Amino acid sequence: MEDLKGGREGLIHRSDDKVYRPSGFWSQSIHKLLLHLKNEKFNSAPKSFGFDSRGNEIVSYVSGDVYNYPLVGAISSTEALCSAALLLRKYHDVTASFVQSKNCNDLAWLLPAREPQEVICHGDYAPYNVALSGNTVVGIFDFDTAHPAPRIWDVAYAVYSWSPFKTNPHDSLGDLPKQSARAKQFCDSYGLSYADRTQLVDTMISRVQALVDFMRDEATKGNEAFIANIKDSHHLAYLADIEYLERNKEQITNCLVANNHDA
Ligand SMILES: Nc1ncnc2c1ncn2[C@@H]1O[C@H](COP(=O)(O)OP(=O)(O)O)[C@@H](O)[C@H]1O
Ligand SMILES: [Mg+2]
């Protein structure tokens, strides 16, 4: 067994073409989703191989190069950004029929469903949860946070993560004009509507605030990983990013809607 890096230390393992990850109350739902993706011939996500007797889920290994912040090399390229947006669009389109099917009734998810339930949001579509071939994003993994919600909810977190609108020096990449231009490129490749673009910064703020609320709730419930996160002040970085988005909302939105004619 090989220890996979880039997520929770010592908990994610690979053996040949299979990955073993801790499962939770939401994992059966995720495996139904993965089965749907496979049936729909969406080949950029892991395939489900069920569960082992030690409480792990088993999924196929998604081939490709993996990255994390700071965004350096292929992951920082415009091709990576645009192909990430295209792949998210393709993924969302394929999940729309799952949300509408009876297979999706009464499923449990780690994050609360939000109305209107248009698609299954990945929930953490960030540069550290995709695989690349050269400069192209070709695979997605880590579906733990998937949940039914509107598309814009997922696009908001993806744009926040990929632009990235991060204020801490380790994670940031470029100044506000560069971040806004990358955000627009993501929206263009995804095909985000004009109406959604006008709402995107507010949705990013709500989405990041929801993450901070979730971290605090989980820490209060005794979840060790989130207790450690709060102790390391991770939530303060997110709150600083929210302030940054609030302060620059008009400038970012002007860039997002420029030359967008589907109003
Ligand atoms: N199905 C998979 N295919 C390929 N690599 C994977 C897969 N699942 C996880 N990994 C690798 O293991 C790392 C940690 O796994 P991840 O599921 O993202 O953990 P966490 O839930 O702790 O974020 C990822 O960054 C990736 O490199
Ligand atoms: Mg991960």
Side-chain angles (χ1 to χ4, degrees):
M1 283 268 190
E2 175 199 349
D3 220 3
L4 289 175
K5 307 268 179 275
R8 285 158 294 167
E9 196 106 339
L11 291 179
I12 324 286
H13 305 287
R14 175 184 177 185
S15 175
D16 298 320
D17 59 348
K18 306 252 174 23
V19 173
Y20 296 75
R21 303 173 73 254
S23 63
F25 67 84
W26 58 90
S27 299
Q28 298 284 352
S29 312
I30 303 300
H31 282 243
K32 285 189 179 157
L33 169 67
L34 296 180
L35 185 62
H36 172 83
L37 296 177
K38 180 176 174 234
N39 290 341
E40 294 295 315
K41 312 225 170 348
F42 180 85
N43 294 317
S44 306
K47 310 271 181 296
S48 161
F49 284 94
F51 299 86
D52 71 10
S53 56
R54 283 179 289 189
N56 289 308
E57 64 165 0
I58 310 168
V59 293
S60 66
Y61 181 79
V62 176
S63 300
D65 304 321
V66 291
Y67 296 85
N68 207 332
Y69 295 109
L71 306 183
V72 177
I75 193 73
S76 68
S77 66
T78 305
E79 296 97 300
L81 178 77
C82 295
S83 55
L86 265 176
L87 188 58
L88 184 65
R89 177 63 192 251
K90 194 170 154 204
Y91 163 73
H92 281 166
D93 288 353
V94 166
T95 65
S97 57
F98 182 71
V99 177
Q100 284 153 16
S101 74
K102 63 177 184 355
N103 288 336
C104 195
N105 288 347
D106 304 320
L107 293 184
W109 306 97
L110 176 59
L111 299 184
R114 287 176 74 91
E115 299 298 334
Q117 297 187 22
E118 293 170 352
V119 296
I120 304 290
C121 290
H122 176 277
D124 194 8
Y125 194 73
Y128 47 75
N129 279 330
V130 298
L132 276 70
S133 169
N135 283 351
T136 308
V137 173
V138 293
I140 316 174
F141 46 78
D142 192 356
F143 279 77
D144 280 342
T145 48
H147 60 293
R151 290 165 185 269
I152 190 176
W153 189 239
D154 223 11
V155 173
Y157 194 72
V159 167
Y160 164 69
S161 306
W162 282 88
S163 298
F165 288 111
K166 303 264 185 183
T167 53
N168 80 80
H170 180 269
D171 294 354
S172 70
L173 171 78
D175 54 9
L176 185 67
K178 171 153 179 180
Q179 293 161 351
S180 305
R182 281 174 60 85
K184 178 176 167 51
Q185 281 169 320
F186 193 102
C187 293
D188 287 351
S189 295
Y190 182 91
L192 197 70
S193 70
Y194 178 89
D196 279 352
R197 289 174 198 232
T198 64
Q199 296 305 308
L200 193 64
V201 179
D202 279 337
T203 311
M204 279 194 259
I205 292 168
S206 305
R207 179 65 187 85
V208 179
Q209 185 62 54
L211 173 61
V212 173
D213 295 345
F214 178 74
M215 289 169 79
R216 285 181 168 143
D217 281 357
E218 287 295 308
T220 307
K221 282 192 229 156
N223 183 325
E224 295 293 343
F226 287 99
I227 291 171
N229 276 339
I230 299 245
K231 218 171 126 208
D232 294 342
S233 301
H234 287 188
H235 63 306
L236 298 184
Y238 290 121
L239 292 174
D241 297 344
I242 288 175
E243 243 181 74
Y244 181 72
L245 288 166
E246 274 167 351
R247 205 166 53 239
N248 297 299
K249 179 173 155 179
E250 198 179 326
Q251 197 176 328
I252 299 167
T253 305
N254 286 342
C255 179
L256 293 177
V257 300
N259 305 317
N260 184 260
H261 298 299
D262 75 334

